[in-house]
Amino acid sequence: MALRSTSKVSFAKTTLSYPLFAAEFDPYNRGYLVVGGGGGESKTGVPNQISVLDISNRAAIATALELDLSRDEDSVQSLGSLATKDGLITFAGINSSQADQNAGKNEHLRTFEVKYPPRKRQRTDISDGDEKGKIEGMGKRSLFKRSTAPKSETYQRGLRLSPAQKRESGSKRIGAVATGMAKDSEIVVFDATSATPQDADIITRIDLPEGDEAADMDIAEPDTSEFSLAYCTDYDIYEQTYKYDFTAKEAEKTPKGPRRVHQMPYPDAANANPKSRSKFRCIRFLNSQNLVTLSNKPNKSGAELRIFHLYPTGPATLLLTKSLPSRIKSAASMDVCALDADKSGNQQVAIAVAGSDISIEIYVTNYQRATDTFSPFRSYVTLRDVHQHQMTKLCFSPFHSPSRAPDPEPASTGPNGEPIPPKEPQPAMHPGPQYIRLASVSYGNTVVVDTLPLSPLEPQNKHSRYVLSHPSDERFTTVAYIAVITMIVLVTAFLLQSVLTGFSESESGPFSLLPQNFRHFLDKPANAARGVQYELASKVESAVPSNLPVVKARLRDLLATHGGSESKALVVRDGGDSTSLSVDVHPDREAYLKQDTAAMHWDQLSREQQAGWKAKLVQAGEWTVEEGETVLKGVLFSGYAGMVGQVAAQALGA
């Protein structure tokens, strides 16, 4: 994987034995990544597996646990995990065999219990049976309605859980699954506190319009037990909010049905062809009121990011648009990582996009709570050639603001007022180094985990929020960009001024502010060039046979008067531009030809030269096509450029 030489991003890579389609970090960053995929229901011999990878070492990835799945069923298509004390409860989207589906049975939502293997420094008082950890199945569930199609091809396309929160009271989460290739598409929202959700755990079912299916979805938690679901189809964005009572298993929906907040516009109002519109590919919450989407333009002509602001009612407002680099013809996946906010609610968000050129673009945008706005997307880094094959999934590790050391107790004094030193040393200003991780997986069995370092926005404030791209770096880039543009403008102005008017006589503009002697100095190169030009021009003029009497007139008049003379030279000379011609009669043809060796009779010209002269004669009004070429056969044609070249060579050699 190629990285910028100035980048602080580090990475680790490993190759597994199966193609990968899903990845999910431990919700509390305990150093593990769960991935899944496989060859599906086939006889290729490629296994279906779930792997738990140890990523605690930023320089290496180790396989901690693996579970072989049935090769008579589909591969793992999606993953979502809940944290437990010793590991995870992992939901996976795995479709039953085609035979079971045709029989009306598709247990698409699987649940697995993951117990992490203890790390070496923690292996005390552990029995031999627990030392290696384990993954085992807990249950299978079908949440979708039974398909009415003759041949069921419905599969679980998407799985998304609400974000894990760090609270003293714990974090209760909900989830959503969406169908793919279904006759009647739907989204099912469920209570994820149950390892094997039952009918009573279903919060709502959303029936999608005919022909639509959810391309992607995301869940935010604006307040405790209040959740907002956003999902996108190819051309629309929908949102619905749930106030959910986990004990009573009752939900208050706002609105009663999902509301469409945005529809992809047509590029041309007169062209209502759906294929001319971009298609939504991914959607993520930036915070509870703002969304970012990834869309692909038609005919693989590019991809773009868009930020929308949600209102309690009515349509969303488009805030920002960012076109991805032109080398990215389409994009496959996107994820975001919202960093911690300060007391005012300001925060920075990182956005990663997997491109069709096997690169990853990472952008940052800064959110200002007071104005509810985002700064323009700024490129943080481009990671090229991340995998050898196309990527299928990107995911960021969640970032939880680190715990800070308590403020030191005020110094106490003794009975006589003398200060008593603190019993313990002063705590460090900041916690240890902070990072966010970005995982990407591919068809080619590879897993890459990039580590991106964070820094405190205010190094002297231990309560400072963290940023990936520091504003000081952004200011430096902006200043450097402005400096380059300014230099280009100044150089262009300098060259134009020197060529057109010079500096000495300038009475306005920035150069008039320079001292007069310095302006004379700036004029020297241009004056020297003009001197050579004037000298050449005078020598060319003197070299033209002017010692002979010359008669100037229109070509037609001269042809009528002198056209039959063999001793005189009727000369058409190119003036050096596209329209200027001169027509002269010289009394001595032989003498003229000795002076002007570039002059040629009509028959001596090539076809290209004849065509050029015809065009010039017509444009100058000296000849028309109807007059024919015969009248031109007694005329000499002289190219001004050729004569200048001869005279200049003589002048320079003199």
Short mmCIF file of all heavy atoms in Angstrom, two decimals, residues 157-158 160 213-219 230-238 262 264 278-286 290-297 303-308 324 330-336 351-355 377 391-395:
data_model
loop_
_atom_site.label_atom_id
_atom_site.label_comp_id
_atom_site.label_asym_id
_atom_site.label_seq_id
_atom_site.Cartn_x
_atom_site.Cartn_y
_atom_site.Cartn_z
N ARG A 157 -29.71 -7.73 2.92
CA ARG A 157 -28.72 -6.86 2.28
C ARG A 157 -27.98 -6.01 3.29
O ARG A 157 -26.78 -5.78 3.16
CB ARG A 157 -29.41 -5.96 1.24
CG ARG A 157 -28.46 -4.97 0.58
CD ARG A 157 -29.13 -4.20 -0.52
NE ARG A 157 -28.19 -3.25 -1.14
CZ ARG A 157 -28.47 -2.52 -2.20
NH1 ARG A 157 -29.65 -2.63 -2.79
NH2 ARG A 157 -27.58 -1.68 -2.70
N GLY A 158 -28.71 -5.51 4.30
CA GLY A 158 -28.08 -4.58 5.23
C GLY A 158 -28.38 -4.90 6.67
O GLY A 158 -29.43 -5.46 7.00
N ARG A 160 -27.62 -2.78 10.52
CA ARG A 160 -27.03 -1.61 11.16
C ARG A 160 -27.53 -1.53 12.59
O ARG A 160 -28.72 -1.70 12.86
CB ARG A 160 -27.41 -0.33 10.41
CG ARG A 160 -26.63 0.91 10.83
CD ARG A 160 -25.21 0.85 10.38
NE ARG A 160 -24.46 2.04 10.78
CZ ARG A 160 -23.15 2.16 10.70
NH1 ARG A 160 -22.43 1.14 10.25
NH2 ARG A 160 -22.55 3.25 11.08
N GLU A 213 -35.44 -0.69 -2.97
CA GLU A 213 -34.88 -1.37 -1.82
C GLU A 213 -33.86 -0.46 -1.17
O GLU A 213 -33.34 0.46 -1.80
CB GLU A 213 -34.27 -2.72 -2.19
CG GLU A 213 -33.12 -2.67 -3.16
CD GLU A 213 -32.60 -4.08 -3.46
OE1 GLU A 213 -33.39 -4.98 -3.78
OE2 GLU A 213 -31.37 -4.26 -3.38
N ALA A 214 -33.61 -0.68 0.10
CA ALA A 214 -32.71 0.19 0.85
C ALA A 214 -31.27 -0.07 0.42
O ALA A 214 -30.75 -1.18 0.59
CB ALA A 214 -32.87 -0.05 2.34
N ALA A 215 -30.63 0.97 -0.14
CA ALA A 215 -29.22 0.85 -0.51
C ALA A 215 -28.33 0.88 0.72
O ALA A 215 -27.31 0.19 0.78
CB ALA A 215 -28.83 1.96 -1.48
N ASP A 216 -28.72 1.66 1.73
CA ASP A 216 -27.94 1.75 2.97
C ASP A 216 -28.80 2.41 4.03
O ASP A 216 -29.84 3.05 3.72
CB ASP A 216 -26.66 2.56 2.74
CG ASP A 216 -25.64 2.38 3.86
OD1 ASP A 216 -25.74 1.38 4.60
OD2 ASP A 216 -24.75 3.23 4.00
N MET A 217 -28.41 2.31 5.29
CA MET A 217 -29.15 2.90 6.39
C MET A 217 -28.21 3.17 7.56
O MET A 217 -27.12 2.61 7.64
CB MET A 217 -30.31 2.00 6.83
CG MET A 217 -29.91 0.58 7.15
SD MET A 217 -31.35 -0.50 7.30
CE MET A 217 -30.51 -2.08 7.50
N ASP A 218 -28.67 4.06 8.46
CA ASP A 218 -27.87 4.38 9.64
C ASP A 218 -28.81 4.79 10.76
O ASP A 218 -29.97 5.19 10.51
CB ASP A 218 -26.87 5.50 9.35
CG ASP A 218 -25.76 5.59 10.40
OD1 ASP A 218 -25.55 4.59 11.10
OD2 ASP A 218 -25.13 6.65 10.51
N ILE A 219 -28.33 4.71 11.99
CA ILE A 219 -29.14 5.03 13.17
C ILE A 219 -28.35 5.98 14.06
O ILE A 219 -27.16 5.76 14.31
CB ILE A 219 -29.51 3.76 13.96
CG1 ILE A 219 -30.24 2.76 13.06
CG2 ILE A 219 -30.39 4.11 15.16
CD1 ILE A 219 -30.49 1.41 13.72
N ALA A 230 -32.28 6.69 9.40
CA ALA A 230 -32.25 7.27 8.06
C ALA A 230 -31.83 6.18 7.09
O ALA A 230 -30.94 5.38 7.38
CB ALA A 230 -31.26 8.44 8.01
N TYR A 231 -32.49 6.13 5.95
CA TYR A 231 -32.10 5.16 4.93
C TYR A 231 -32.29 5.78 3.55
O TYR A 231 -33.06 6.75 3.38
CB TYR A 231 -32.91 3.86 5.06
CG TYR A 231 -34.41 3.98 4.86
CD1 TYR A 231 -34.99 3.79 3.61
CD2 TYR A 231 -35.24 4.26 5.94
CE1 TYR A 231 -36.37 3.89 3.44
CE2 TYR A 231 -36.62 4.35 5.78
CZ TYR A 231 -37.17 4.17 4.53
OH TYR A 231 -38.53 4.27 4.36
N CYS A 232 -31.57 5.24 2.59
CA CYS A 232 -31.66 5.75 1.22
C CYS A 232 -31.96 4.61 0.27
O CYS A 232 -31.46 3.49 0.42
CB CYS A 232 -30.36 6.47 0.82
SG CYS A 232 -28.88 5.44 0.85
N THR A 233 -32.80 4.91 -0.71
CA THR A 233 -32.97 4.03 -1.87
C THR A 233 -32.09 4.61 -2.97
O THR A 233 -31.25 5.48 -2.72
CB THR A 233 -34.45 3.98 -2.29
OG1 THR A 233 -34.88 5.30 -2.66
CG2 THR A 233 -35.31 3.49 -1.13
N ASP A 234 -32.28 4.15 -4.19
CA ASP A 234 -31.44 4.68 -5.27
C ASP A 234 -31.57 6.20 -5.41
O ASP A 234 -30.58 6.89 -5.67
CB ASP A 234 -31.80 4.01 -6.60
CG ASP A 234 -31.26 2.61 -6.71
OD1 ASP A 234 -30.40 2.23 -5.89
OD2 ASP A 234 -31.69 1.87 -7.63
N TYR A 235 -32.79 6.72 -5.21
CA TYR A 235 -33.02 8.13 -5.52
C TYR A 235 -33.65 8.93 -4.38
O TYR A 235 -33.90 10.12 -4.55
CB TYR A 235 -33.93 8.25 -6.76
CG TYR A 235 -33.41 7.52 -7.97
CD1 TYR A 235 -34.07 6.42 -8.49
CD2 TYR A 235 -32.22 7.92 -8.59
CE1 TYR A 235 -33.59 5.74 -9.61
CE2 TYR A 235 -31.72 7.25 -9.69
CZ TYR A 235 -32.41 6.17 -10.20
OH TYR A 235 -31.91 5.50 -11.31
N ASP A 236 -33.92 8.32 -3.24
CA ASP A 236 -34.62 9.03 -2.16
C ASP A 236 -33.95 8.79 -0.81
O ASP A 236 -33.31 7.76 -0.60
CB ASP A 236 -36.08 8.58 -2.07
CG ASP A 236 -36.84 8.85 -3.35
OD1 ASP A 236 -36.97 10.03 -3.73
OD2 ASP A 236 -37.31 7.88 -3.99
N ILE A 237 -34.15 9.77 0.11
CA ILE A 237 -33.69 9.65 1.50
C ILE A 237 -34.92 9.76 2.40
O ILE A 237 -35.76 10.66 2.23
CB ILE A 237 -32.69 10.76 1.86
CG1 ILE A 237 -31.45 10.69 0.96
CG2 ILE A 237 -32.27 10.65 3.32
CD1 ILE A 237 -30.48 11.85 1.19
N TYR A 238 -35.01 8.84 3.38
CA TYR A 238 -36.13 8.81 4.31
C TYR A 238 -35.60 8.87 5.75
O TYR A 238 -34.46 8.47 6.02
CB TYR A 238 -36.95 7.52 4.15
CG TYR A 238 -37.65 7.39 2.81
CD1 TYR A 238 -36.99 6.85 1.71
CD2 TYR A 238 -38.99 7.79 2.67
CE1 TYR A 238 -37.64 6.72 0.49
CE2 TYR A 238 -39.64 7.65 1.45
CZ TYR A 238 -38.96 7.12 0.37
OH TYR A 238 -39.60 6.99 -0.84
N HIS A 262 -35.58 13.95 1.01
CA HIS A 262 -34.86 14.43 -0.18
C HIS A 262 -35.06 13.45 -1.32
O HIS A 262 -35.15 12.24 -1.12
CB HIS A 262 -33.36 14.57 0.10
CG HIS A 262 -32.58 15.10 -1.07
ND1 HIS A 262 -32.58 16.43 -1.42
CD2 HIS A 262 -31.78 14.47 -1.98
CE1 HIS A 262 -31.81 16.60 -2.49
NE2 HIS A 262 -31.33 15.43 -2.84
N MET A 264 -33.41 12.69 -5.25
CA MET A 264 -32.31 13.01 -6.16
C MET A 264 -32.87 13.76 -7.37
O MET A 264 -33.75 13.27 -8.07
CB MET A 264 -31.61 11.74 -6.61
CG MET A 264 -30.41 11.98 -7.52
SD MET A 264 -29.01 12.74 -6.67
CE MET A 264 -28.38 11.34 -5.73
N SER A 278 -27.93 10.56 -10.61
CA SER A 278 -27.00 9.85 -9.73
C SER A 278 -27.78 8.93 -8.80
O SER A 278 -28.96 9.17 -8.53
CB SER A 278 -26.17 10.85 -8.91
OG SER A 278 -25.39 11.67 -9.75
N LYS A 279 -27.10 7.91 -8.27
CA LYS A 279 -27.72 6.96 -7.35
C LYS A 279 -27.03 7.02 -6.00
O LYS A 279 -25.80 7.02 -5.92
CB LYS A 279 -27.64 5.53 -7.89
CG LYS A 279 -28.54 5.25 -9.07
CD LYS A 279 -28.47 3.77 -9.44
CE LYS A 279 -29.41 3.45 -10.59
NZ LYS A 279 -29.40 2.00 -10.93
N PHE A 280 -27.83 7.06 -4.93
CA PHE A 280 -27.27 7.00 -3.59
C PHE A 280 -26.66 5.62 -3.35
O PHE A 280 -27.24 4.60 -3.71
CB PHE A 280 -28.34 7.28 -2.54
CG PHE A 280 -28.81 8.70 -2.51
CD1 PHE A 280 -30.11 9.04 -2.83
CD2 PHE A 280 -27.93 9.72 -2.15
CE1 PHE A 280 -30.55 10.35 -2.80
CE2 PHE A 280 -28.35 11.04 -2.13
CZ PHE A 280 -29.66 11.36 -2.46
N ARG A 281 -25.48 5.61 -2.73
CA ARG A 281 -24.80 4.35 -2.42
C ARG A 281 -24.70 4.13 -0.92
O ARG A 281 -24.88 3.01 -0.44
CB ARG A 281 -23.39 4.37 -3.04
CG ARG A 281 -22.60 3.08 -2.83
CD ARG A 281 -23.21 1.92 -3.57
NE ARG A 281 -22.48 0.69 -3.35
CZ ARG A 281 -22.69 -0.13 -2.33
NH1 ARG A 281 -23.61 0.17 -1.41
NH2 ARG A 281 -22.00 -1.26 -2.22
N CYS A 282 -24.38 5.18 -0.15
CA CYS A 282 -24.20 5.05 1.30
C CYS A 282 -24.78 6.26 2.00
O CYS A 282 -24.87 7.35 1.41
CB CYS A 282 -22.72 4.92 1.67
SG CYS A 282 -21.88 3.52 0.92
N ILE A 283 -25.13 6.08 3.27
CA ILE A 283 -25.65 7.18 4.08
C ILE A 283 -25.15 7.01 5.51
O ILE A 283 -25.10 5.89 6.02
CB ILE A 283 -27.19 7.23 4.04
CG1 ILE A 283 -27.73 8.48 4.71
CG2 ILE A 283 -27.80 5.97 4.66
CD1 ILE A 283 -29.22 8.72 4.45
N ARG A 284 -24.74 8.11 6.14
CA ARG A 284 -24.27 8.09 7.53
C ARG A 284 -24.69 9.39 8.23
O ARG A 284 -24.70 10.47 7.63
CB ARG A 284 -22.74 7.95 7.61
CG ARG A 284 -22.21 6.59 7.22
CD ARG A 284 -22.57 5.52 8.24
NE ARG A 284 -22.04 4.21 7.88
CZ ARG A 284 -22.69 3.31 7.16
NH1 ARG A 284 -23.91 3.60 6.69
NH2 ARG A 284 -22.15 2.14 6.90
N PHE A 285 -25.01 9.26 9.52
CA PHE A 285 -25.23 10.44 10.36
C PHE A 285 -23.89 11.06 10.72
O PHE A 285 -22.95 10.35 11.10
CB PHE A 285 -25.96 10.05 11.64
CG PHE A 285 -27.46 9.96 11.51
CD1 PHE A 285 -28.08 8.73 11.37
CD2 PHE A 285 -28.24 11.10 11.52
CE1 PHE A 285 -29.46 8.63 11.26
CE2 PHE A 285 -29.62 11.03 11.40
CZ PHE A 285 -30.24 9.78 11.26
N LEU A 286 -23.80 12.38 10.59
CA LEU A 286 -22.65 13.12 11.13
C LEU A 286 -22.91 13.49 12.59
O LEU A 286 -22.01 13.48 13.41
CB LEU A 286 -22.39 14.37 10.30
CG LEU A 286 -22.00 14.12 8.84
CD1 LEU A 286 -21.90 15.44 8.09
CD2 LEU A 286 -20.68 13.36 8.76
N ASN A 290 -27.69 15.98 11.06
CA ASN A 290 -27.02 16.14 9.77
C ASN A 290 -26.56 14.79 9.24
O ASN A 290 -26.08 13.94 9.99
CB ASN A 290 -25.82 17.09 9.90
CG ASN A 290 -26.24 18.50 10.29
OD1 ASN A 290 -26.67 19.28 9.45
ND2 ASN A 290 -26.13 18.82 11.58
N LEU A 291 -26.70 14.64 7.91
CA LEU A 291 -26.35 13.40 7.23
C LEU A 291 -25.32 13.67 6.15
O LEU A 291 -25.27 14.77 5.58
CB LEU A 291 -27.59 12.81 6.53
CG LEU A 291 -28.76 12.32 7.38
CD1 LEU A 291 -29.99 12.15 6.50
CD2 LEU A 291 -28.41 11.00 8.04
N VAL A 292 -24.52 12.67 5.83
CA VAL A 292 -23.66 12.71 4.66
C VAL A 292 -24.00 11.50 3.80
O VAL A 292 -24.24 10.41 4.31
CB VAL A 292 -22.16 12.73 5.03
CG1 VAL A 292 -21.76 11.48 5.79
CG2 VAL A 292 -21.29 12.89 3.78
N THR A 293 -24.07 11.71 2.49
CA THR A 293 -24.38 10.62 1.57
C THR A 293 -23.26 10.49 0.54
O THR A 293 -22.56 11.46 0.22
CB THR A 293 -25.70 10.86 0.82
OG1 THR A 293 -25.59 12.05 0.00
CG2 THR A 293 -26.86 11.01 1.79
N LEU A 294 -23.11 9.27 0.03
CA LEU A 294 -22.22 8.99 -1.08
C LEU A 294 -23.08 8.57 -2.25
O LEU A 294 -23.93 7.69 -2.11
CB LEU A 294 -21.25 7.87 -0.71
CG LEU A 294 -20.38 7.32 -1.85
CD1 LEU A 294 -19.39 8.37 -2.36
CD2 LEU A 294 -19.64 6.06 -1.40
N SER A 295 -22.90 9.20 -3.39
CA SER A 295 -23.69 8.86 -4.57
C SER A 295 -22.76 8.67 -5.77
O SER A 295 -21.71 9.32 -5.87
CB SER A 295 -24.73 9.94 -4.88
OG SER A 295 -24.13 11.21 -5.03
N ASN A 296 -23.16 7.77 -6.66
CA ASN A 296 -22.42 7.51 -7.89
C ASN A 296 -23.15 8.13 -9.07
O ASN A 296 -24.37 7.97 -9.22
CB ASN A 296 -22.27 6.00 -8.12
CG ASN A 296 -21.27 5.38 -7.15
OD1 ASN A 296 -20.26 5.98 -6.83
ND2 ASN A 296 -21.56 4.17 -6.69
N LYS A 297 -22.41 8.83 -9.91
CA LYS A 297 -22.99 9.45 -11.09
C LYS A 297 -23.26 8.40 -12.17
O LYS A 297 -22.66 7.33 -12.15
CB LYS A 297 -22.05 10.54 -11.62
CG LYS A 297 -21.81 11.66 -10.62
CD LYS A 297 -20.83 12.69 -11.15
CE LYS A 297 -20.57 13.79 -10.12
NZ LYS A 297 -19.59 14.79 -10.61
N ALA A 303 -18.19 10.21 -8.63
CA ALA A 303 -18.91 10.05 -7.36
C ALA A 303 -18.81 11.35 -6.59
O ALA A 303 -17.91 12.17 -6.83
CB ALA A 303 -18.33 8.89 -6.55
N GLU A 304 -19.73 11.54 -5.65
CA GLU A 304 -19.71 12.78 -4.87
C GLU A 304 -20.29 12.56 -3.48
O GLU A 304 -21.08 11.64 -3.24
CB GLU A 304 -20.46 13.90 -5.59
CG GLU A 304 -21.93 13.64 -5.82
CD GLU A 304 -22.59 14.77 -6.60
OE1 GLU A 304 -21.87 15.68 -7.08
OE2 GLU A 304 -23.82 14.74 -6.74
N LEU A 305 -19.87 13.43 -2.56
CA LEU A 305 -20.38 13.47 -1.20
C LEU A 305 -21.32 14.66 -1.05
O LEU A 305 -21.08 15.72 -1.64
CB LEU A 305 -19.24 13.60 -0.20
CG LEU A 305 -18.23 12.44 -0.13
CD1 LEU A 305 -17.03 12.85 0.71
CD2 LEU A 305 -18.88 11.20 0.44
N ARG A 306 -22.38 14.47 -0.25
CA ARG A 306 -23.31 15.56 0.01
C ARG A 306 -23.67 15.56 1.49
O ARG A 306 -23.90 14.50 2.08
CB ARG A 306 -24.60 15.40 -0.82
CG ARG A 306 -24.37 15.43 -2.33
CD ARG A 306 -25.69 15.30 -3.07
NE ARG A 306 -25.48 15.31 -4.52
CZ ARG A 306 -26.47 15.33 -5.41
NH1 ARG A 306 -27.73 15.32 -5.00
NH2 ARG A 306 -26.20 15.34 -6.70
N ILE A 307 -23.74 16.75 2.08
CA ILE A 307 -24.16 16.89 3.47
C ILE A 307 -25.55 17.54 3.48
O ILE A 307 -25.77 18.57 2.83
CB ILE A 307 -23.16 17.73 4.28
CG1 ILE A 307 -21.84 16.97 4.46
CG2 ILE A 307 -23.74 18.09 5.65
CD1 ILE A 307 -20.80 17.72 5.27
N PHE A 308 -26.48 16.92 4.25
CA PHE A 308 -27.84 17.42 4.37
C PHE A 308 -28.14 17.75 5.83
O PHE A 308 -27.68 17.05 6.74
CB PHE A 308 -28.85 16.37 3.89
CG PHE A 308 -28.77 16.03 2.44
CD1 PHE A 308 -27.97 14.97 2.00
CD2 PHE A 308 -29.48 16.75 1.50
CE1 PHE A 308 -27.89 14.65 0.66
CE2 PHE A 308 -29.41 16.43 0.15
CZ PHE A 308 -28.61 15.38 -0.27
N LEU A 324 -15.62 13.78 -5.91
CA LEU A 324 -14.39 13.04 -5.69
C LEU A 324 -13.47 13.20 -6.89
O LEU A 324 -13.92 13.58 -7.98
CB LEU A 324 -14.70 11.57 -5.44
CG LEU A 324 -14.95 11.18 -3.98
CD1 LEU A 324 -16.19 11.89 -3.42
CD2 LEU A 324 -15.12 9.67 -3.82
N SER A 330 -16.41 5.42 -9.74
CA SER A 330 -17.52 5.08 -8.86
C SER A 330 -16.93 4.72 -7.50
O SER A 330 -15.72 4.49 -7.38
CB SER A 330 -18.35 3.91 -9.41
OG SER A 330 -17.55 2.74 -9.51
N ALA A 331 -17.78 4.67 -6.48
CA ALA A 331 -17.32 4.37 -5.12
C ALA A 331 -18.15 3.23 -4.56
O ALA A 331 -19.34 3.08 -4.87
CB ALA A 331 -17.42 5.60 -4.23
N ALA A 332 -17.51 2.40 -3.71
CA ALA A 332 -18.16 1.18 -3.22
C ALA A 332 -18.62 1.30 -1.77
O ALA A 332 -19.60 0.66 -1.39
CB ALA A 332 -17.20 0.00 -3.35
N SER A 333 -17.93 2.08 -0.95
CA SER A 333 -18.27 2.10 0.47
C SER A 333 -17.83 3.42 1.09
O SER A 333 -16.95 4.11 0.56
CB SER A 333 -17.59 0.93 1.20
OG SER A 333 -17.96 0.86 2.55
N MET A 334 -18.46 3.76 2.22
CA MET A 334 -18.14 4.99 2.95
C MET A 334 -18.41 4.77 4.43
O MET A 334 -19.31 4.01 4.80
CB MET A 334 -19.00 6.15 2.44
CG MET A 334 -18.81 7.46 3.21
SD MET A 334 -20.07 8.71 2.84
CE MET A 334 -21.50 8.01 3.69
N ASP A 335 -17.63 5.43 5.27
CA ASP A 335 -17.93 5.44 6.70
C ASP A 335 -17.43 6.76 7.29
O ASP A 335 -16.60 7.46 6.67
CB ASP A 335 -17.28 4.26 7.43
CG ASP A 335 -17.97 3.97 8.77
OD1 ASP A 335 -19.12 4.42 8.95
OD2 ASP A 335 -17.38 3.28 9.61
N VAL A 336 -17.95 7.10 8.46
CA VAL A 336 -17.57 8.35 9.12
C VAL A 336 -17.17 8.06 10.56
O VAL A 336 -17.57 7.05 11.15
CB VAL A 336 -18.72 9.40 9.10
CG1 VAL A 336 -19.21 9.64 7.70
CG2 VAL A 336 -19.87 8.96 10.00
N ILE A 351 -14.24 11.39 7.21
CA ILE A 351 -15.06 10.66 6.24
C ILE A 351 -14.13 9.91 5.31
O ILE A 351 -13.22 10.50 4.71
CB ILE A 351 -15.95 11.62 5.44
CG1 ILE A 351 -16.84 12.43 6.39
CG2 ILE A 351 -16.80 10.87 4.42
CD1 ILE A 351 -17.46 13.65 5.77
N ALA A 352 -14.33 8.60 5.18
CA ALA A 352 -13.50 7.77 4.30
C ALA A 352 -14.36 7.18 3.19
O ALA A 352 -15.49 6.75 3.43
CB ALA A 352 -12.83 6.65 5.10
N VAL A 353 -13.81 7.16 1.97
CA VAL A 353 -14.52 6.65 0.80
C VAL A 353 -13.62 5.67 0.06
O VAL A 353 -12.44 5.97 -0.20
CB VAL A 353 -14.95 7.78 -0.15
CG1 VAL A 353 -15.70 7.21 -1.36
CG2 VAL A 353 -15.82 8.80 0.57
N ALA A 354 -14.16 4.50 -0.27
CA ALA A 354 -13.43 3.49 -1.05
C ALA A 354 -13.76 3.68 -2.52
O ALA A 354 -14.93 3.56 -2.92
CB ALA A 354 -13.81 2.08 -0.59
N GLY A 355 -12.75 4.00 -3.34
CA GLY A 355 -12.96 4.26 -4.75
C GLY A 355 -12.76 3.03 -5.62
O GLY A 355 -12.13 2.05 -5.22
N PHE A 377 -15.24 20.35 2.73
CA PHE A 377 -14.44 19.13 2.85
C PHE A 377 -12.97 19.45 2.57
O PHE A 377 -12.65 20.14 1.60
CB PHE A 377 -14.91 18.09 1.84
CG PHE A 377 -16.27 17.52 2.13
CD1 PHE A 377 -17.39 17.98 1.48
CD2 PHE A 377 -16.42 16.50 3.05
CE1 PHE A 377 -18.64 17.46 1.73
CE2 PHE A 377 -17.67 15.97 3.33
CZ PHE A 377 -18.78 16.45 2.66
N MET A 391 -12.45 -3.23 -3.15
CA MET A 391 -12.88 -3.24 -1.76
C MET A 391 -14.39 -3.45 -1.66
O MET A 391 -15.15 -3.01 -2.53
CB MET A 391 -12.49 -1.92 -1.08
CG MET A 391 -11.01 -1.80 -0.80
SD MET A 391 -10.54 -0.18 -0.16
CE MET A 391 -10.43 0.76 -1.68
N THR A 392 -14.81 -4.12 -0.61
CA THR A 392 -16.23 -4.38 -0.39
C THR A 392 -16.78 -3.63 0.82
O THR A 392 -17.99 -3.42 0.91
CB THR A 392 -16.46 -5.89 -0.17
OG1 THR A 392 -15.59 -6.34 0.88
CG2 THR A 392 -16.13 -6.67 -1.45
N LYS A 393 -15.92 -3.25 1.74
CA LYS A 393 -16.41 -2.62 2.98
C LYS A 393 -15.32 -1.76 3.61
O LYS A 393 -14.15 -2.13 3.62
CB LYS A 393 -16.84 -3.71 3.97
CG LYS A 393 -17.34 -3.22 5.31
CD LYS A 393 -18.69 -2.54 5.21
CE LYS A 393 -19.23 -2.14 6.58
NZ LYS A 393 -20.53 -1.45 6.49
N LEU A 394 -15.75 -0.59 4.12
CA LEU A 394 -14.91 0.29 4.93
C LEU A 394 -15.59 0.48 6.28
O LEU A 394 -16.82 0.61 6.33
CB LEU A 394 -14.78 1.67 4.28
CG LEU A 394 -13.73 1.98 3.23
CD1 LEU A 394 -13.85 3.44 2.87
CD2 LEU A 394 -12.35 1.69 3.74
N CYS A 395 -14.84 0.55 7.35
CA CYS A 395 -15.45 0.93 8.62
C CYS A 395 -14.41 1.57 9.53
O CYS A 395 -13.25 1.15 9.58
CB CYS A 395 -16.12 -0.25 9.31
SG CYS A 395 -15.01 -1.54 9.89
#
